């Protein structure tokens, strides 16, 4: 409206209430600008929904109980527990046949007491409705009460693609669809993805799935090998510490590639009756995991303070306190805290 964007529009009785970003001058003459690309997209999806709804009910007896016009895809809720692949294929074929037949779509208004209203498909009028009743007709296919915007001919839909179904509410099925330009955009997006995968996988589109399966299998094998190596490294680190003539009361270690199991293996191998262990894994300056292990009383006292210093959360029992950290860069502060604790600990502690 003029230079002021309209954020949304809603109906209150007979009035269309516009929510705007800034105040407007009452009585001023303004130029109204319509976002035609958005409007035409909504027209295509809405008329597409009417067509799908009508054919689904005529052919299979599946009534539409609700629908949603999404930003990228739309969903029709059908009153059926399921749809077979054959039914979806037949429905898609039928609606696209009607598009090719260039069936007209017309809008008319009926008086609220017109007996013809009883023959029109409807979920009922709003309680605050006033004035004539708006009916949208798809010639020879459907007649439906509707206040939305629609194309004037099914040929304007271009094409409808049914993407399949999703489980809906109890005994309902959600049918997902695209209409018109959304189909073209989806194809373009899929084609771009296909080109990128062809470049990365070094093979044709028909071989992408098998190539990805091989990569997944290789990754699983590498992850398994890596885990075994980490376990071996953890054992060797612990044995190296225990082999020293004089063992320190504090053991500190950070390893970027480790995990919780890696830390627990070290703690198990070293033993925590006398030694206080502070172990961390993950990015050296960002997020990761930590483990504080040692004498039960010391860990119970220090664990929450360590978690707080590291900007994380944790829990513990029986001489182990572990959790997640968001400030791995503060490991030095934790080490200083632990050193201070040990230096003040009595010989009997």
């Amino acid at each position: 409206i003029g230079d002021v964007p309209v954020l949304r529009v809603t109906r209150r009785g007979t009035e269309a209430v516009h929510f705007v970003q800034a105040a407007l001058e009452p009585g001023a003459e303004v130029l109204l600008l319509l976002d035609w690309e958005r409007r035409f997209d909504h027209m295509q999806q809405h008329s597409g929904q009417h067509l799908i709804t009508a054919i689904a009910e005529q052919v299979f007896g599946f009534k539409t109980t609700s629908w949603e016009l999404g930003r990228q895809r739309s969903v029709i809720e059908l009153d059926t527990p399921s749809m077979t692949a054959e039914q979806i294929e037949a429905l898609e074929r039928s609606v696209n046949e009607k598009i090719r037949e260039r069936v007209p779509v017309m809008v008319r208004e009926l008086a609220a007491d017109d007996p013809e209203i009883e023959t029109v498909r409807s979920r009922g009028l709003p309680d605050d409705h006033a004035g004539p009743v708006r009916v949208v007709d798809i010639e020879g296919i459907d007649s439906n009460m509707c206040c939305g915007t629609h194309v004037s001919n099914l040929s304007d839909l271009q094409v409808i693609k049914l993407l399949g179904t999703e489980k809906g509410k109890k005994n309902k099925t959600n049918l997902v669809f695209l209409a018109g330009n959304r189909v073209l955009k989806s194809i373009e997006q899929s084609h771009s993805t296909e080109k990128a995968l062809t470049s990365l996988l070094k093979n044709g589109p028909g071989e992408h799935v098998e190539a990805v399966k091989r990569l997944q299998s290789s990754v699983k094998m590498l992850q398994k090998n890596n885990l075994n190596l980490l376990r071996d490294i953890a054992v060797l680190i612990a044995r190296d510490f225990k082999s020293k003539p004089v063992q320190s009361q504090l053991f500190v270690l950070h390893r970027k590639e480790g995990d919780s199991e890696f830390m627990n293996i070290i703690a198990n191998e070293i033993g925590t009756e006398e030694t206080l262990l502070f172990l961390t894994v993950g990015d050296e300056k960002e997020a990761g995991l930590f483990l504080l292990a040692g004498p039960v009383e010391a860990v119970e006292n220090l664990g929450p303070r360590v978690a707080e210093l590291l900007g994380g959360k944790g829990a513990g029992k029986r001489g182990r306190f572990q959790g997640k950290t968001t400030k791995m860069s503060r490991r030095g502060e934790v080490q200083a805290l632990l050193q201070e604790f040990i230096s003040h600990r009595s010989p009997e502690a």
Side-chain angles (χ1 to χ4, degrees):
I1 303 176
D3 295 327
V4 180
V6 176
L7 303 176
R8 68 187 181 97
V9 183
T10 187
R11 183 185 64 81
R12 290 181 183 170
T14 59
E15 295 183 332
V17 180
H18 292 63
F19 292 80
V20 293
Q21 215 167 48
L24 297 166
E25 183 67 30
E29 185 173 317
V30 294
L31 177 65
L32 302 181
L33 296 176
L34 179 69
D35 183 349
W36 175 248
E37 183 178 353
R38 182 174 184 269
R39 168 63 62 84
F40 187 60
D41 171 60
H42 287 188
M43 291 162 60
Q44 287 186 317
Q45 309 317 308
H46 202 165
S47 297
Q49 177 265 314
H50 276 222
L51 178 60
I52 296 168
T53 287
I55 301 298
E57 185 170 346
Q58 291 171 14
V59 177
F60 302 113
F62 300 156
K63 293 184 180 295
T64 292
T65 48
S66 68
W67 86 289
E68 178 188 3
L69 196 167
R71 290 181 179 276
Q72 296 180 326
R73 62 178 198 165
S74 297
V75 178
I76 299 173
E77 183 185 70
L78 296 174
D79 192 13
T80 177
S82 62
M83 285 186 74
T84 66
E86 291 75 20
Q87 287 173 326
I88 295 172
E89 183 181 350
L91 179 58
E92 180 178 279
R93 184 168 56 249
S94 181
V95 296
N96 282 293
E97 284 173 357
K98 298 303 180 185
I99 292 172
R100 290 193 297 273
E101 290 172 9
R102 301 170 63 192
V103 178
V105 179
M106 297 160 290
V107 176
R108 56 197 172 105
E109 293 183 347
L110 301 176
D113 59 353
D114 192 319
E116 189 179 347
I117 289 179
E118 298 300 322
T119 67
V120 175
R121 184 168 59 83
S122 171
R123 293 167 59 198
L125 290 168
D127 293 336
D128 61 350
H129 174 78
V133 177
R134 190 169 182 268
V135 177
V136 176
D137 293 319
I138 303 177
E139 191 176 273
I141 298 174
D142 187 46
S143 186
N144 184 19
M145 286 186 198
C146 185
C147 62
T149 54
H150 290 269
V151 299
S152 59
N153 192 289
L154 290 186
S155 62
D156 290 332
L157 298 183
Q158 300 167 277
V159 65
I160 287 176
K161 178 60 186 175
L162 303 184
L163 298 178
T165 60
E166 298 173 350
K167 185 174 178 59
K169 298 174 185 176
K170 187 176 181 181
N171 294 323
K172 302 288 177 66
T173 295
N174 292 333
L175 179 63
V176 184
F177 77 94
L178 304 174
N181 288 332
R182 291 194 183 190
V183 178
L184 300 179
K185 289 179 180 178
S186 178
I187 291 173
E188 176 59 30
Q189 184 178 18
S190 296
H191 181 61
S192 296
T193 301
E194 192 175 88
K195 285 173 64 178
L197 286 173
T198 296
S199 176
L200 290 169
L201 299 173
K202 309 300 182 185
N203 58 17
E207 299 171 299
H208 285 174
V209 173
E210 287 303 317
V212 171
K213 285 181 179 179
R214 288 195 298 271
L215 283 173
Q216 287 178 325
S217 178
S218 297
V219 168
K220 286 180 181 179
M221 181 62 70
L222 289 170
Q223 287 174 334
K224 183 178 179 180
N225 292 339
N226 185 57
L227 183 59
N228 289 332
L229 289 171
L230 278 173
R231 288 170 177 164
D232 292 342
I233 291 171
V235 171
L236 291 171
I237 288 172
R239 288 179 181 175
D240 178 64
F241 175 79
K242 293 173 70 175
S243 68
K244 294 177 180 178
V246 179
Q247 294 181 11
S248 171
Q249 290 182 293
L250 177 63
F251 180 80
V252 177
L253 177 74
H254 173 78
R255 191 175 186 89
K256 184 177 181 179
E257 304 83 7
D259 58 11
S260 293
E261 184 179 9
F262 172 78
M263 294 188 294
N264 277 294
I265 289 174
I266 293 176
N268 291 338
E269 290 289 327
I270 289 179
T272 57
E273 293 81 6
E274 299 295 333
T275 306
L276 190 61
L277 293 87
F278 173 52
L279 309 173
T280 53
V281 295
D283 193 290
E284 295 178 0
K285 295 184 179 180
E286 296 181 9
L289 305 174
F290 74 91
L291 170 65
L292 181 69
V296 174
E297 186 178 346
V299 171
E300 287 179 351
N301 179 34
L302 294 166
R305 295 166 64 188
V306 169
E308 184 180 0
L309 274 176
L310 295 174
K313 294 181 179 180
K317 60 181 179 179
R318 294 194 295 274
R320 297 201 183 183
F321 192 99
Q322 55 190 331
K324 296 181 179 179
T325 167
T326 59
K327 298 177 181 177
M328 194 71 80
S329 59
R330 300 181 70 178
R331 294 194 323 277
E333 296 177 48
V334 174
Q335 186 170 347
L337 171 69
L338 300 180
Q339 289 281 15
E340 183 180 3
F341 174 82
I342 289 173
S343 66
H344 289 87
R345 189 165 59 170
S346 64
E348 291 81 16

